[in-house]
Amino acid sequence: MPLLVSGSGCSRFWPACILRQTESWGSKREAFVLRRLETGWEQRFASFTVTPFAAVQFSELWQPGFAETTTAVATPGQLGLSYQSKTTPSLPTFVGVQLDTRVTFANGMVWSPLARLSWVHEFEPVRDLTATLSTLPLATFGIEGARAARDSARIDLGSKLAISRNAWLFASVVGEFSDISQAYAGKGGVRFTW
């Protein structure tokens, strides 16, 4: 019954362009950083493994301040908005259980299905931004984006089929369900090594 501890992280930077019907536009560069730490206690039974786990995942989205400009010649900048820089944190925690097994077929292929069920609690659900009309610096207002769900259930289902020592087929589906939202994602593919 080994204790499992894993950590991961990623970051991404990308340019963002905004064009509104008022003929105002702006561009900026955003950044995203994610860090996750997970621990679990693997318990093996006859033909399957049960792993209760807990995880914390911290991410931040950095949006620099920027100002729109207008393309209309007669009214330059009258309807353009300025946005203050904003760092949006996210701090969900996960508590759940993972079930997995391995099935070896007579032809040598190995199938590895996996199911994870977890409760997710988000400590930072607010997603807001402050904007100002460029021509009226005192006309500042807040924009509240779609809030993250404070509590949700997450289901991860995955399957891997080793068709040889160097090739695998894989697929996974993730669903997150709460009282305010539902999210689904999936992926599949082939992996080769040499």
Side-chain angles (χ1 to χ4, degrees):
M1 289 191 256
L3 175 65
L4 306 172
V5 178
S6 68
S8 61
C10 70
S11 62
R12 181 172 178 184
F13 301 91
W14 66 91
C17 295
I18 298 167
L19 178 62
R20 297 187 298 129
Q21 289 183 338
T22 60
E23 296 184 7
S24 296
W25 70 278
S27 65
K28 60 183 180 169
R29 187 166 172 83
E30 298 178 341
F32 175 78
V33 173
L34 170 82
R35 293 166 296 276
R36 180 182 174 100
L37 180 64
E38 181 174 315
T39 185
W41 191 261
E42 187 178 85
Q43 300 176 45
R44 296 177 191 259
F45 294 97
S47 61
F48 62 95
T49 303
V50 177
T51 308
F53 68 90
V56 62
Q57 179 174 299
F58 177 73
S59 62
E60 281 187 312
L61 172 65
W62 290 290
Q63 299 170 289
F66 77 101
E68 296 176 339
T69 57
T70 186
T71 58
V73 177
T75 57
Q78 287 190 355
L79 295 177
L81 294 173
S82 298
Y83 298 90
Q84 295 178 0
S85 62
K86 176 73 177 173
T87 299
T88 305
S90 177
L91 185 63
T93 54
F94 302 76
V95 176
V97 65
Q98 173 178 311
L99 303 169
D100 58 271
T101 189
R102 290 176 55 125
V103 178
T104 303
F105 297 107
N107 62 3
M109 288 192 222
V110 179
W111 177 48
S112 304
L114 168 105
R116 286 172 69 107
L117 176 63
S118 58
W119 168 62
V120 182
H121 180 74
E122 171 64 71
F123 286 95
E124 299 282 348
V126 177
R127 310 289 188 254
D128 61 356
L129 192 63
T130 302
T132 304
L133 286 171
S134 297
T135 56
L136 298 169
L138 297 178
T140 299
F141 55 95
I143 302 167
E144 188 165 318
R147 286 179 175 253
R150 186 165 292 279
D151 292 296
S152 60
R154 181 180 170 115
I155 300 170
D156 298 75
L157 301 173
S159 182
K160 182 172 77 170
L161 179 63
I163 54 179
S164 72
R165 295 184 69 182
N166 302 25
W168 299 268
L169 300 173
F170 64 89
S172 66
V173 176
V174 177
E176 200 162 306
F177 309 94
S178 73
D179 60 340
I180 62 171
S181 65
Q182 293 182 8
Y184 307 92
K187 67 180 176 182
V190 180
R191 181 177 175 192
F192 295 99
T193 61
W194 57 90

